Amino acid sequence: RTPCLIPGIDRSYCLQTEVSDLYLGLVVFRFHICSCSSTAKVFVHEWAHLRWGVFDEYNNDAPFYVSVNSGKASVEATRCSASVTGKYIVQSCTGNSCTTRECKSDEQTKLYEAGCKFVPEKTQNAPASIMYMQSLPSVVEFCDQSTHNEKATNLQNKMCSYHSTWEVIMNSMDFSNTSPINSASPPFETAFSLLQTKDRVVCLVLDVSGSMDGNNRIKRLKQAAEIFLLQIIETGSWVGIVTFHSTAQIETYLQQIINENVRRDLTKYLPISAGGGTNICAGVHKGFEVIKQKYSNLYGSEIVLLTDGEDGGMSSCLTEVKNSGSIIHTIALGPNASPELEQFSNMTGGLRFYATDTVDSNGLIDAFSGISSGSGNISEQSIQLESTAQSVAVKQWMNGTVTVDSTVGNDTFFVVTWDRSTSPPDILLRDPKGKEYRTSNFTASNLNLQTARLNIAGTAEVGDWYYWIQNKHTDSQVISMIVTSRAASLAVPPVTVKALMNKDTNNFPNPMVIYAEVSQGFLPVLGATVMATVEPQTGSAVELKLLDDGSGADITKNDGVYSKYFTSFRGNGRYNLKVRVQGKDKTVRLRRRQSRALYVPGYIENGEIKMNAPRPEPSDDEIQAKLGSFNRVASGGSFVMENVPSGGTTDVFPPCKIIDLEAQYEEDKIHLSWTAPGNDFDVGQGKYIIKMSESLLDLRNTFEDATSVNTSSLVPKPAGTKESFQFKPENVTIENGTIIYFAIRAIDNASLTSEVSNIAQAALFIPPKESSPDSTPNDDVINEGINILTIVLIVAGSIIAVSIAVSMIVCILHKKNRRGGPELRM
């Protein structure tokens, strides 16, 4: 951050950022920003989110908090830095007429009332922060250690352990090993390139070496590649095919898919036999040759590289591959595929997949189905509705349900595969209106005798499709059902699923994080059931449920991104990820993705409040809309595990960090609530260490030295459930303005502890009484004191008088009773 001069702006301090060699798809950006315009600062704000992972320093859900400075409590706007000045204003509008007044306190929250907005002064001295209100002319910096507001209840503090955004940024790889630029001007001006999409160009480069003859790999390759050519690759794309063993051969040069005849013709060039050694570089060179036969360069082209063998000569073409401009997607088949294979994907921005030899996982078919276009018209892209397989005994049935929702239905295929018999099993498929399709309606491939395919004419009926498949073979065999479709309408985006992981290569004992983003266009889909299956090289697959509840691995609740930690490692090597999503009509819904940008309600200029137009508030119907039932399947690619102990593992995984701790006063007690972590990150059940302090930084920096809270009455709940704990703090004098901070560490059975949770505050704050309009504040206080004293004296005097009168009456009656004889006594 250095000062720079902008023509026409005298001595303006601007943010100067240097980022080198940042890969965004195929485009490399190298840029410097030195501009005081709001547009440039918005760009830097969003880039900081994307590149460095910092968070907003405002909070639309908690815009105010209680702060104590020099023993005096006050309500403050959630902001950074705290030196940004302004007023707290409520605007009321009737028609085109609006009035403003100062905010009042809310009796329940003790903060400001609903509708209160912090209106900043237009002219400020505060230079920070870009992550708070970059629209202010003075703001040209991120908050650093000296300006950071650790008391603010924002996501930056919550997720980054109360460190400033600049501290986080400086620890990134972009800056940790670089020196500041000691110059008043950027080294060179920003250059932006405008790119235009072109026809998709894909060359299949397929391994046909001798090892492909084992485990039925060559037949499975043909099944999967046939589905890719007939159902997945988009119309208008160009496709070529290369095979390789010790040498490479061009099976067909690029053909443009303009109709179904071209698709069927391409399947004729798929391999049917295997033999020879493995020369991966030879196959890649031939793939480049196929593409260059039509195009002068390789930029934007794609190669789908599949192999099951090792090749010690891969390093000879790494540099050429890196500089080619082509994107290489890799599919590793079986446990012995070259460990260097993923380098091709990493260098070129391609996808990486892994398929085991376990045929009932559909791994190879899912890998090819996952290589759809990442850009262009979403309505042209294939969407996988179902992919399931199981071993079916003789004369037994495999049955299931596939839901075709209203957002898909065009170009719908039902594909049945089997692995042993030469004749198809008995197939019965029934649509939502009762129409039945039988084996005779399916088309068996002339080139691939273990695949039967049904293409539904027009748009498939919306609703549940039921299927029953009987194994007629003399032995058990694996039968699979694959269903793909495309968008039903150009005007309505389909529901899509993106399965992701936090890293491609992981070192034990670090956990993996599995993500699935479920959306319709830009709208997140809520309430879906999301199951992830992780399949290792050896051992059985592991299934886990992903959640969108804002706890554990899930950062933000109800954003359509479902998350979970994965720690069930079976050894070193590759792992395959597959995600299955199901939405039920009564539980799933859409949510409007509201802008998270900070709304600036107005400014104060020269003492005058100038309000902007009120931010439109969406109605409940706009925020949440019913979606209906749907099915989706998506491949998340593969990751590689390293340094997993060969003799098995002990308990090395601690509970995950609690990120949603909340605290509040309830009369003379403190109420804490949070989502339970697990024994191993977010799985199982842990225990708790709760600490409190009147110093936020002491609690963060020296958690163990803080005051302990007695948790003997707290019974921990399983991971993912809501915990609630109420207690009366001891040895603490609670008075107006008292703020107590709380934090939790979860602990497991092996005494492994989580990171310190987010720090929650409970503030006892009694706002001052509102002044009456016809008297001064001092008169109010005096009059209030006199009135109260008068009332107290009158009430006390009345009680004394009544007591004396009652006593006298009781005394007189008592004497009369004694004179009247026993007959009057009770």
Side-chain angles (χ1 to χ4, degrees):
R1 293 173 297 166
T2 57
C4 60
L5 292 175
I6 304 297
I9 303 177
D10 293 333
R11 299 193 62 80
S12 298
Y13 283 81
C14 304
L15 179 74
Q16 180 171 300
T17 303
E18 180 184 13
V19 181
S20 299
D21 296 332
L22 303 182
Y23 285 88
L24 186 62
L26 287 178
V27 187
V28 179
F29 287 95
R30 196 176 272 161
F31 65 87
H32 296 264
I33 293 176
C34 191
S35 170
C36 290
S37 71
S38 297
T39 304
K41 290 189 286 184
V42 168
F43 182 90
V44 176
H45 176 101
E46 297 303 330
W47 183 260
H49 281 313
L50 174 69
R51 179 65 179 175
W52 301 305
V54 296
F55 296 89
D56 290 323
E57 291 176 319
Y58 50 85
N59 189 339
N60 291 326
D61 298 322
F64 306 110
Y65 67 97
V66 175
S67 177
V68 175
N69 293 302
S70 303
K72 183 179 179 182
S74 62
V75 177
E76 298 288 340
T78 302
R79 65 196 190 279
C80 194
S81 68
S83 58
V84 174
T85 58
K87 293 183 178 180
Y88 299 93
I89 300 296
V90 170
Q91 183 183 43
S92 301
C93 294
T94 304
N96 295 325
S97 175
C98 295
T99 59
T100 60
R101 62 172 174 82
E102 292 187 1
C103 298
K104 299 178 181 179
S105 297
D106 184 276
E107 291 186 3
Q108 275 192 318
T109 66
K110 308 305 180 186
L111 302 175
Y112 284 127
E113 62 188 302
C116 179
K117 304 294 182 184
F118 176 70
V119 180
E121 298 276 355
K122 186 78 171 181
T123 302
Q124 300 272 349
N125 294 320
S129 168
I130 290 288
M131 302 311 294
Y132 170 57
M133 193 178 287
Q134 68 275 0
S135 59
L136 291 174
S138 68
V139 171
V140 291
E141 298 179 359
F142 292 95
C143 269
D144 58 18
Q145 281 181 293
S146 64
T147 58
H148 182 58
N149 180 10
E150 69 275 355
K151 297 177 182 178
T153 53
N154 55 42
L155 206 54
Q156 173 64 24
N157 279 331
K158 180 178 178 180
M159 300 305 302
C160 298
S161 299
Y162 301 86
H163 291 292
S164 68
T165 53
W166 190 244
E167 289 176 88
V168 175
I169 292 170
M170 291 305 291
N171 284 327
S172 73
M173 60 182 180
D174 293 335
F175 297 99
S176 58
N177 297 316
T178 58
S179 300
I181 301 174
N182 295 316
S183 172
S185 59
F188 51 82
E189 292 189 0
T190 305
F192 291 92
S193 298
L194 180 63
L195 304 182
Q196 186 176 12
T197 59
K198 63 179 182 180
D199 292 337
R200 191 181 185 194
V201 179
V202 179
C203 184
L204 303 183
V205 178
L206 309 175
D207 186 353
V208 292
S209 61
S211 56
M212 287 291 293
D213 209 26
N215 294 293
N216 210 22
R217 289 176 186 167
I218 200 72
K219 291 183 179 179
R220 290 164 53 214
L221 164 61
K222 189 173 179 62
Q223 280 181 338
E226 186 179 74
I227 288 176
F228 178 76
L229 294 173
L230 294 178
Q231 301 170 216
I232 306 300
I233 187 73
E234 297 81 9
T235 299
S237 302
W238 294 80
V239 180
I241 300 175
V242 167
T243 58
F244 69 92
H245 41 78
S246 303
T247 58
Q249 299 79 36
I250 297 174
E251 303 295 340
T252 177
Y253 283 97
L254 294 177
Q255 296 188 47
Q256 187 174 26
I257 299 177
I258 56 176
N259 53 43
E260 294 305 308
N261 291 332
V262 176
R263 292 182 184 271
R264 285 192 290 268
D265 183 64
L266 284 167
T267 63
K268 298 176 182 178
Y269 297 101
L270 294 174
I272 57 175
S273 61
T278 304
N279 189 336
I280 294 174
C281 285
V284 172
H285 285 142
K286 283 295 182 183
F288 289 164
E289 183 181 332
V290 166
I291 297 168
K292 286 183 177 179
Q293 189 261 344
K294 178 172 178 57
Y295 293 94
S296 58
N297 61 64
L298 300 172
Y299 288 106
S301 64
E302 300 171 66
I303 283 180
V304 178
L305 173 61
L306 180 145
T307 183
D308 74 336
E310 295 189 26
D311 180 7
M314 281 188 65
S315 59
S316 63
C317 60
L318 287 177
T319 301
E320 181 183 358
V321 166
K322 181 178 180 180
N323 298 328
S324 68
S326 182
I327 303 168
I328 298 186
H329 310 297
T330 57
I331 303 176
L333 178 57
N336 299 318
S338 180
E340 297 82 15
L341 186 63
E342 281 81 7
Q343 291 186 43
F344 282 6
S345 298
N346 295 341
M347 290 188 302
T348 63
L351 304 172
R352 40 193 283 174
F353 299 93
Y354 168 62
T356 67
D357 287 321
T358 306
V359 293
D360 60 358
S361 69
N362 274 3
L364 196 53
I365 291 174
D366 294 336
F368 273 99
S369 298
I371 308 175
S372 60
S373 173
S375 61
N377 192 339
I378 186 66
S379 66
E380 295 296 326
Q381 297 177 23
S382 177
I383 296 171
Q384 200 169 11
L385 307 186
E386 180 62 285
S387 174
T388 186
Q390 68 183 66
S391 180
V392 182
V394 179
K395 300 297 182 182
Q396 295 302 305
W397 294 83
M398 170 184 173
N399 54 67
T401 305
V402 179
T403 302
V404 176
D405 59 277
S406 60
T407 68
V408 295
N410 286 345
D411 202 22
T412 302
F413 285 88
F414 288 82
V415 180
V416 178
T417 69
W418 57 98
D419 71 332
R420 295 203 174 186
S421 64
T422 56
S423 59
D426 275 346
I427 306 171
L428 172 60
L429 175 68
R430 182 179 297 153
D431 77 6
K433 290 188 174 180
K435 182 179 180 179
E436 294 185 349
Y437 302 86
R438 297 188 176 271
T439 308
S440 58
N441 300 114
F442 284 71
T443 302
S445 171
N446 295 326
L447 300 174
N448 193 342
L449 299 179
Q450 293 175 322
T451 303
R453 179 177 285 100
L454 173 67
N455 185 8
I456 304 299
T459 302
E461 292 288 345
V462 173
D464 291 337
W465 291 64
Y466 301 94
Y467 63 86
W468 298 264
I469 306 172
Q470 185 183 36
N471 177 21
K472 296 194 306 179
H473 191 48
T474 56
D475 198 358
S476 62
Q477 64 176 340
V478 173
I479 298 176
S480 69
M481 170 65 84
I482 300 98
V483 184
T484 63
S485 188
R486 300 187 198 273
S489 168
L490 293 174
V492 180
V495 175
T496 58
V497 177
K498 295 179 181 178
L500 308 163
M501 297 161 289
N502 64 325
K503 56 183 74 174
D504 295 327
T505 302
N506 188 32
N507 283 290
F508 186 88
N510 296 316
M512 290 293 296
V513 184
I514 309 299
Y515 304 101
E517 183 181 8
V518 188
S519 60
Q520 184 186 7
F522 292 105
L523 305 181
V525 175
L526 310 183
T529 300
V530 182
M531 303 300 299
T533 303
V534 181
E535 187 180 16
Q537 278 189 190
T538 57
S540 57
V542 179
E543 192 171 68
L544 58 157
K545 185 176 183 179
L546 309 187
L547 300 174
D548 184 18
D549 61 355
S551 68
D554 192 64
I555 294 175
T556 305
K557 183 178 180 179
N558 288 341
D559 63 350
V561 179
Y562 298 73
S563 317
K564 193 77 172 177
Y565 285 107
F566 175 74
T567 59
S568 301
F569 303 117
R570 300 287 191 260
N572 293 319
R574 297 182 175 99
Y575 288 70
N576 172 54
L577 171 64
K578 178 177 179 177
V579 169
R580 182 183 301 275
V581 181
Q582 185 176 41
K584 289 296 184 183
D585 184 42
K586 294 182 180 180
T587 59
V588 73
R589 63 192 188 279
L590 287 173
R591 179 175 181 176
R592 295 291 177 189
R593 195 184 297 274
Q594 300 179 74
S595 172
R596 301 300 298 176
L598 177 65
Y599 166 71
V600 182
Y603 295 100
I604 301 173
E605 282 190 89
N606 300 320
E608 182 183 355
I609 299 173
K610 297 181 178 180
M611 300 296 288
N612 294 324
R615 183 177 190 170
E617 296 295 335
S619 66
D620 290 340
D621 291 338
E622 290 178 313
I623 293 174
Q624 296 182 353
K626 293 293 183 181
L627 180 62
S629 299
F630 67 92
N631 283 105
R632 294 292 185 272
V633 174
S635 174
S638 65
F639 64 91
V640 175
M641 277 302 301
E642 297 176 347
N643 300 319
V644 179
S646 57
T649 62
T650 57
D651 187 353
V652 295
F653 301 111
C656 64
K657 176 182 177 180
I658 295 168
I659 61 174
D660 61 348
L661 176 63
E662 294 180 354
Q664 63 183 38
Y665 277 105
E666 292 183 356
E667 296 180 350
D668 62 341
K669 294 182 179 179
I670 301 292
H671 180 256
L672 302 179
S673 62
W674 66 94
T675 302
N679 184 70
D680 295 338
F681 288 97
D682 55 4
V683 176
Q685 182 174 306
K687 296 172 288 187
Y688 304 109
I689 302 171
I690 302 178
K691 298 279 188 174
M692 66 181 189
S693 174
E694 293 187 52
S695 169
L696 184 149
L697 294 181
D698 286 350
L699 193 58
R700 184 194 75 176
N701 299 330
T702 56
F703 177 85
E704 298 302 330
D705 296 335
T707 303
S708 297
V709 174
N710 186 350
T711 58
S712 58
S713 62
L714 175 58
V715 179
K717 296 179 180 178
T721 55
K722 202 69 178 177
E723 295 275 23
S724 180
F725 181 56
Q726 195 174 59
F727 67 98
K728 186 174 183 179
E730 300 174 355
N731 302 321
V732 176
T733 302
I734 298 178
E735 55 189 7
N736 188 23
T738 298
I739 297 179
I740 305 179
Y741 298 97
F742 297 89
I744 302 179
R745 261 187 167 162
I747 183 171
D748 68 7
N749 296 329
S751 298
L752 299 173
T753 57
S754 70
E755 296 180 48
V756 177
S757 71
N758 67 292
I759 297 176
Q761 72 167 27
L764 178 61
F765 177 58
I766 303 174
K769 295 287 185 180
E770 301 293 337
S771 299
S772 59
D774 55 352
S775 61
T776 65
N778 289 336
D779 289 339
D780 284 344
V781 174
I782 295 170
N783 291 338
E784 182 183 359
I786 292 173
N787 291 338
I788 291 174
L789 180 60
T790 302
I791 292 170
V792 169
L793 291 174
I794 291 172
V795 172
S798 300
I799 292 173
I800 292 170
V802 171
S803 299
I804 293 171
V806 170
S807 298
M808 292 176 66
I809 293 170
V810 170
C811 183
I812 293 168
L813 291 174
H814 183 66
K815 288 181 179 180
K816 286 183 177 180
N817 288 339
R818 290 182 63 184
R819 286 194 211 108
E823 67 275 8
L824 296 178
R825 296 179 185 177
M826 302 297 293

